[in-house]
Amino acid sequence: MPETLISDLNRADVFSSLKEGQFELILGAFSARLASQSPELVDFLFDVYRDVPANLELQEVTDIALNVRPPNVFRKYLRPQVIPDPGFKVPAVPLPKKMAPLSLEMGMNLSVALKCCRFLTFHAGAVANENGGVLISGASGSGKSTLTTALMQEGYRLFSDEFGLLSLDKAEINPYPRPVSLKGNSISVVRDMVGAEWVSKSIMNTPKGEIAYRRARRSDIEQANVPAPVKLILFPSFAENISPRAKKLTKAETIMRLIESATNYKLLGEAAYKALTDMVVGAEAYDITYGDTEECMQMVRDFAGEAGL
Amino acid sequence: MAVGPYTSQTIWIAEADDFVIRQFEDVYFVFCKSAGTTHLLNFLTASIVKNAVDKPGNMKDLYDRVLNDLELDAEDCPSELFESSVVQLDEVGLLKPKEYSNA
């Protein structure tokens, strides 16, 4: 069956499908069944997810089932709010209805982080070119989304800015090219880098401050089923006005850091241990501290070259 | 403190089927299947585990064999350090006392 992209669909039909809880989003490693009564979500899907395949009626069993809904009847009408409801209890705060897109993104992230067992899941950005992949592991604010975007500008495919999804049977990461989440100062950096047309309108005054999304390119989405072997692992940390510096990490240091970064390592047990150690054997890893994206990218280009990317 | 009581005659055993071990540079990553935990071992603790897999023994047996394997002497590796390493391996489930002997 030929794929229908969201941009090919009719807005009213999409909203109707969302209201009936039948809307199916098909993107790389995961498919999602979405439900919502929020028109804000329709606008968001037509903007940021416009090149993603979708169905108005469920075609298959999905990996994720997410309802972006009011937390209670009261908040449906009075100062309306929404929460992400993935069918299990999640630590998500109710948000004003106009922030439904943020609730959707949080819900999809939590569904992958807390319930995904097919992959060893790292909290990491991931990109790849034809020679292999780069995993960018770091806490929120470390600059992994900015680096992910900068590498996309160098011709790398977007896999994800949030999850490194490592296959359990081979040392390959799998794409899940959802939009890149940008916060605070990184929004203007990325707008300057890629052009304002590639970045969504900002959502202001969220619990994480200003948030905007850098849309995945159609080429990222078209190759969303093509995995890549990991060749380079970066652990960035961003600090204002600091000279860039880097330290090559031993395999042991790399493994210890990635165990900390994995959301389901303990759950997957021996399979996760084998997948992780196999991956690290074939990759070089660096700890990077930087205060300027371009200076950082100069180092990353050198490391990528040494890693055969 | 060890998980349970032990004496100088306690036989220490490590069951090879219970873990997977991989070396990276000069350290060893061990996954313990029964506990579902991952441990980072140095050359001394890794050698204790390997020796206890190959041939279980009491504290003195293992001490002698490990020192011999690593070409160390008692000054390099005092018996107190060795015993505390055995106890730590017991605590994390990589080593366990097999039996008590009056011999």
Side-chain angles (χ1 to χ4, degrees), chain A residues 128-130 149-158 217 220:
Chain A
N129 65 14
E130 64 278 12
T149 308
L151 284 163
M152 287 169 69
Q153 289 305 102
E154 307 256 322
Y156 287 79
R157 286 193 281 144
L158 171 67
R217 299 161 298 197
D220 300 322

Side-chain angles (χ1 to χ4, degrees), chain B:
Chain B
M1 180 179 286
V3 173
Y6 68 95
T7 71
S8 61
Q9 297 307 309
T10 298
I11 301 296
W12 295 95
I13 185 169
E15 294 182 0
D17 291 345
D18 193 34
F19 51 75
V20 187
I21 186 164
R22 288 185 180 177
Q23 183 177 3
F24 291 92
E25 292 111 7
D26 57 351
V27 298
Y28 298 79
F29 274 90
V30 180
F31 180 77
C32 180
K33 295 179 186 177
S34 56
T37 49
T38 305
H39 305 279
L40 183 60
L41 303 188
N42 61 18
F43 67 95
L44 173 63
T45 45
S47 181
I48 294 171
V49 171
K50 284 178 185 172
N51 271 279
V53 167
D54 295 340
K55 188 180 175 190
N58 64 28
M59 195 72 76
K60 178 74 167 57
D61 295 334
L62 289 174
Y63 183 56
D64 291 343
R65 278 191 272 136
V66 167
L67 262 59
N68 187 54
D69 285 355
L70 299 177
E71 299 180 0
L72 300 173
D73 57 30
E75 194 174 333
D76 299 320
C77 178
S79 59
E80 295 81 6
L81 170 65
F82 186 86
E83 186 169 339
S84 71
S85 299
V86 168
V87 167
Q88 285 176 24
L89 290 168
D90 179 23
E91 286 171 350
V92 298
L94 295 177
L95 214 62
K96 61 184 178 185
K98 183 184 180 189
E99 58 187 357
Y100 296 97
S101 167
N102 293 323

